[in-house]
Structure formats: structure tokens, C-alpha cells
Amino acid sequence: DNVITYSGFFGGQFGDTVRDAVVNADGVLYMTGITDDFFFPVTSNAYATTNGETRKMFVARLDTKIPYKESLTYSTFFGGTGSEEPTGIALGPKPEQVFITGFTSGDDYPVKNFIQEKKLPNVDGFVAQFDLTKSGTDSLVASTYIGGSFNDQPQDIAVDANGKVYITGYTNSYDFPTTGNAFQPVYGGGRDAFLLRLDLTAKAIEYGTFLGGNSIDYAYRMVVRSEEH
């Protein structure tokens, strides 16, 4: 028989939207999304406990084995004052490593241990890494803009067994960052998909390529396959 083992509401009083979620092997749920809610539930160990009276992204951890409100073990506002959307969330190889990606129009998106410190014109992507074993500002390990001079919109994120971060999405930027070993180092035109591999610890783009022709090309999802031994 189909049995619901856990079900609950999550949010404040208005304007809360989950954009992506992932569950670990222990049944712990990790979510990211956006909220307009002053009363959105945050925890005392949050990176940011107030929303600054503007729409914010959020990152939350909910342990479905713990009953009632105590199941929310980490929840934080995140972001600047620009228009921002998280689009993907992934877990790293170490316990409580959480990575999100998305895009922002804001010049005050919070950066830390960054690959790209400043936003270029229009909309840039971002990648952020959290360590939920830590509290407050220490829980944000790394955060960086990623993009070129036009519109860049990451749509999915994955992390491999070595902690390398992969993002895919689409871009209108002819100067989107690519690497010398790229499958397609030059912008095809119209709109191209892209693929990046990042080493956030080394603050480096290890691989970057366009994927597209001279019309409109999108990428929304990807899978990173573990090496077989």
C-alpha cells in the first residue's frame, strides 16, 4: 500500500515558493526558493535572519525524522536587493555541504571566496556553497557571480565526489567564460546553452563551454556520472 510517512506545510504568512529540493539518504530535505515574507521561518543559526524588507532567496534544511517545528534545523534568507531566482540545489560529498545556483540582476549579491567578484551588465548567474554544520555568516563558505556582459541564467547544478561543481543553463553573452579546452569556445549566436565545471576551493573555472548554434538553445538539466572502478 502507498503510505504517506511525512507531510507538512512550510512557509510564513504569504509569498513563499520552493524552486528546487533534494533529499539525502537519511531523509533530510534541503530546499531553496524565494520569499516575500517577513515572517518566513528562519533558525537562530541562519546566515541571515531578516529579509531587509525585500524579496529574498532562502535555503532550508528539514529533518523529516524529527517531529513538529524542531524538524527545521537550518533556514536562512539569502541574497541582495536585486531580482534574484535560485534554480537548483545540490549536496556535496561531505556532510551538510549544500550548493545552490541561479541568477541575479543585483550589484549587491553577497560574494565570498569568489571566482567573479562583480556583476557585469544585465543578469549574471551565481553559485553559492553552504556548510550547515556552521552558524551565521560562517555557514556561507563561498559565493560568486558567474557570467558575461548580457543575460546569463544557470538552470541546474550538480556536485561530484571530489566536490567539483557543475552548472548548466543558457546565455546571451558572447564573453561568457570558457576555457582553452572547451568543446565550443565561441558563442554561436541567438542564445547558447553552456556547461561549467568549477573548483570553488581553488576559486577557478576548470572547464567552460558554449553549446549551441546560431539560433536559440537552452539547457535545463544535467546528470554527472560517477567514475566506475
Side-chain angles (χ1 to χ4, degrees):
D1 294 338
N2 293 325
V3 177
I4 297 174
T5 59
Y6 183 92
S7 179
F9 294 105
F10 177 69
Q13 297 184 5
F14 60 92
D16 310 309
T17 304
V18 175
R19 292 298 192 208
D20 198 20
V22 64
V23 181
N24 72 8
D26 296 321
V28 179
L29 175 66
Y30 301 81
M31 298 172 282
T32 190
I34 54 173
T35 179
D36 295 302
D37 199 337
F38 305 127
F39 307 103
F40 183 82
V42 294
T43 52
S44 59
N45 56 348
Y47 168 80
T49 56
T50 60
N51 69 354
E53 299 185 352
T54 186
R55 171 175 288 183
K56 279 287 192 289
M57 299 182 286
F58 67 82
V59 176
R61 178 189 191 272
L62 197 153
D63 190 335
T64 59
K65 302 183 301 298
I66 300 174
Y68 310 117
K69 292 183 178 180
E70 288 72 23
S71 62
L72 187 65
T73 56
Y74 184 92
S75 182
T76 187
F77 294 110
F78 182 65
T81 58
S83 177
E84 297 175 336
E85 291 274 351
T87 54
I89 187 169
L91 303 180
K94 296 181 180 179
E96 303 307 322
Q97 277 187 327
V98 180
F99 299 78
I100 65 169
T101 193
F103 52 90
T104 176
S105 67
D107 294 319
D108 59 351
Y109 168 83
V111 294
K112 183 178 183 180
N113 298 324
F114 48 82
I115 295 171
Q116 178 181 327
E117 182 180 13
K118 302 292 185 181
K119 186 183 75 68
L120 297 176
N122 299 296
V123 173
D124 268 359
F126 70 81
V127 176
Q129 176 185 350
F130 293 84
D131 180 348
L132 302 194
T133 67
K134 299 180 180 179
S135 298
T137 56
D138 288 341
S139 63
L140 180 65
V141 176
S143 184
T144 186
Y145 289 105
I146 290 289
S149 298
F150 290 91
N151 292 326
D152 314 298
Q153 296 196 10
Q155 296 293 313
D156 198 17
I157 186 168
V159 184
D160 69 17
N162 296 313
K164 302 298 176 67
V165 179
Y166 300 74
I167 60 172
T168 192
Y170 49 89
T171 180
N172 296 105
S173 296
Y174 67 91
D175 56 351
F176 189 84
T178 60
T179 51
N181 57 343
F183 169 77
Q184 180 185 333
V186 179
Y187 180 52
R191 175 179 289 130
D192 276 1
F194 67 80
L195 175 66
L196 292 175
R197 183 177 70 206
L198 310 176
D199 185 333
L200 294 182
T201 301
K203 306 177 187 178
I205 299 173
E206 291 191 335
Y207 183 84
T209 188
F210 293 105
L211 289 169
N214 59 12
S215 189
I216 297 175
D217 308 293
Y218 295 94
Y220 289 102
R221 293 290 180 267
M222 65 178 168
V223 174
V224 174
R225 187 179 69 179
S226 298
E227 292 291 334
E228 296 181 359
H229 299 285

